[in-house]
Amino acid sequence: MSIKTIILAAGQGTRMRSSRPKVLHEIANKPLLQHVHETSLSLDNNTVFIIYGHGGETVKQSLSQLDATWIEQKQQLGTGHAVQQAIHHVEDGDTVLILYGDVPLLKASTLQTLLKKVSATSLALLTVTLDDPTGYGRIVRDKDHAVIKIVEQKDANEVELQISEGNTGILACKGKQLKNWLSRLSNNNAQNEYYLTDIIEMAVDDGLTIETTQADSQDEVLGVNNRSQLAHLERVYQLQQAEMLMEKGVTLRDPNRTDVRGEFAALGQDIDVDINVIFEGVNRIGSYVKIGPNCLIKNATIADGVEILANSVIEDAVVGADSRIGPFARLRPQAELADHVHIGNFVEIKKSTVASGSKINHLSYIGDSEIGSKVNVGAGTITCNYDGVNKFKTIIEDGAFIGSDTQLVAPVTVGKNATIGAGSTITKDTPAEQLTLSRVKQVSVASWQRPVKLAETVPDSSLHSLHPCKSEKE
Ligand code: UD1
Ligand code: CA
């Protein structure tokens, strides 16, 4: 079976009150339309068409990487008109699946169930039963419970408005029939639109049965029309991600306070995640990793047994096994730490390698550096890697000890097992095994006297009397 999926994404989305087209608004950092597209790609033998319109060039440009054919609907004359724009790509024998670009959480399994119900004698329709179906097209059934038509909210009579079964808009049918039905659509209705939903009555007239199915949960078929619905679906999505993590053996201290905006290329067991941790991009996380509260972990590779303490930010970085990061540490792109490395509070590391067992525990900036193993970098150490134009490299060889408050002015190499005295500004390579320090000699001034406070001007006494506390004391 060859499937042609047509994703409708030309609507304006006025209620978002946004300069950005609706389908580009994101759930988990991914545009709504991309969620829909990804789901449709999971179907075999499927070709995807995206109908774009309002603000469409921006949509097309920002999602040009998607494997789909983009078709412009110049004027938004209704859902039926939107499908018509792609119909010349449809072969008679195809099964056509209609999706909405603003319904992001639909599952592939639901689509598969729907597609199984399509045949030459049946049209498949995804419906939803709602407490409040306001705004939805209503599914009208006869006394035998067979669907006979869909009536839009604005065209419905009193009795029809009482129907709680709504149209999700998602349906599937055979190409040949669809072509015929679309050619017969009219816009003779309350909104003067070409309603795709009118094909249901035509199908019934042609002797087809309308096979309906529903998704496991309402959230799957909810569309985004405003920011509140966007926030709701973001939460739904995040809870799904949290469930997925827990199923894989991750402890989440609070599944309501974990956010996954991306994916895991690897995920170990017995990972422990405290509250308000955000995972972005593609992360690889080993087993027995502990992540403290309020951490941002983005495109990181974190080996087994690593402990990340509260409020740390790790981005495009690699952390070796059994290392300890934070609290309040920042690993920036191309920070690569080997095993048993300790990075403490207020330490920033960028484009640097740190070999096994080294410690940088307090208040340091390490950039464009190569740090050997078992190195101890004292508090307040700064690699001065930038002269305002070019970046230079700092090399600290194995076993070196960098005293506190040292500036290493790159390019510079600190030799193996060298010690740098605290407070030094190192501008030349320092020899292995030796102590190097650069310090102004300490002096004491015996005759020095502390300054005394200069005589105060006498305050205005009239002002004084206005101040009850002052006058009382004096
Ligand atoms: C539509 C259905 C309604 C259903 C509801 C579910 C019709 C006539 N009505 O109503 O039965 O209950 O969805 O949300 O189909 N679009 C285009 N081009 C257009 C018009 C719409 O691409 O000319 C796209 C929109 O971007 C959107 C989708 O089609 O993704 C639905 O359009 P919308 O205007 O929201 O339809 P509703 O009036 O809500
Ligand atoms: Ca809608």
Side-chain angles (χ1 to χ4, degrees), residues 8-12 22 51 73 75-82 100-102 135-138 150 152 166-169 191 193-197 225:
L8 306 189
Q12 296 209 359
K22 177 162 77 173
I51 310 297
Q73 184 193 18
Q75 274 182 295
Q76 280 72 65
L77 303 179
T79 49
H81 180 258
Y100 286 0
D102 57 2
Y136 281 76
R138 305 299 206 283
I150 295 176
E152 292 304 303
N167 171 33
T168 64
Q191 301 183 82
E193 284 183 8
Y194 294 92
Y195 291 162
L196 180 63
T197 43
N225 295 304

Side-chain angles (χ1 to χ4, degrees), residues 369-417:
S369 303
E370 244 172 63
I371 298 185
S373 63
K374 300 234 160 71
V375 167
N376 193 314
V377 175
T381 296
I382 290 171
T383 55
C384 310
N385 58 333
Y386 187 49
D387 62 5
V389 184
N390 297 300
K391 299 262 168 78
F392 298 99
K393 200 159 185 175
T394 301
I395 297 172
I396 304 177
E397 294 180 350
D398 295 349
F401 181 98
I402 314 294
S404 298
D405 190 28
T406 292
Q407 298 95 56
L408 298 161
V409 182
V412 72
T413 298
V414 175
K416 197 171 174 183
N417 294 328

Side-chain angles (χ1 to χ4, degrees), residues 51-64:
I51 310 297
Y52 70 97
H54 179 78
E57 285 309 316
T58 338
V59 179
K60 194 176 157 184
Q61 271 157 25
S62 41
L63 294 175
S64 60

Side-chain angles (χ1 to χ4, degrees), residues 1 94-95 114-124 172-175 177 181 208-209 211:
M1 176 173 75
D94 291 339
T95 294
L114 187 74
L115 287 167
K116 282 194 195 114
K117 294 181 181 282
V118 180
S119 74
T121 56
S122 59
L123 178 153
C173 61
K174 285 293 176 191
Q177 293 162 339
W181 298 327
L208 278 80
T209 50
E211 296 277 347

Side-chain angles (χ1 to χ4, degrees), residues 161-279:
L161 287 174
Q162 299 308 308
I163 299 170
S164 62
E165 187 180 11
N167 171 33
T168 64
I170 289 143
L171 60 84
C173 61
K174 285 293 176 191
K176 186 177 180 183
Q177 293 162 339
L178 181 62
K179 285 182 191 179
N180 176 268
W181 298 327
L182 288 180
S183 71
R184 290 155 52 196
L185 285 183
S186 87
N187 64 351
N188 185 15
N189 52 50
Q191 301 183 82
N192 292 115
E193 284 183 8
Y194 294 92
Y195 291 162
L196 180 63
T197 43
D198 284 351
I199 71 168
I200 304 301
E201 200 172 356
M202 295 180 194
V204 173
D205 284 348
D206 287 352
L208 278 80
T209 50
I210 311 299
E211 296 277 347
T212 62
T213 182
Q214 296 210 343
D216 294 338
S217 97
Q218 274 183 22
D219 293 324
E220 247 193 81
V221 298
L222 290 185
V224 173
N225 295 304
N226 57 40
R227 310 251 182 182
S228 167
Q229 290 165 341
L230 183 69
H232 171 72
L233 290 185
E234 174 80 36
R235 272 294 95 216
V236 171
Y237 179 87
Q238 290 306 339
L239 272 174
Q240 289 170 357
Q241 298 299 300
E243 283 301 326
M244 175 274 291
L245 286 176
M246 293 188 289
E247 263 165 40
K248 291 190 170 165
V250 176
T251 292
L252 298 178
R253 302 295 180 94
D254 183 353
N256 286 302
R257 286 182 289 174
T258 308
D259 283 69
V260 179
R261 302 170 188 163
E263 56 202 271
F264 295 92
L267 198 64
Q269 277 196 339
D270 294 307
I271 296 167
D272 185 315
V273 180
D274 212 321
I275 62 166
N276 296 335
V277 173
I278 300 174
F279 295 98

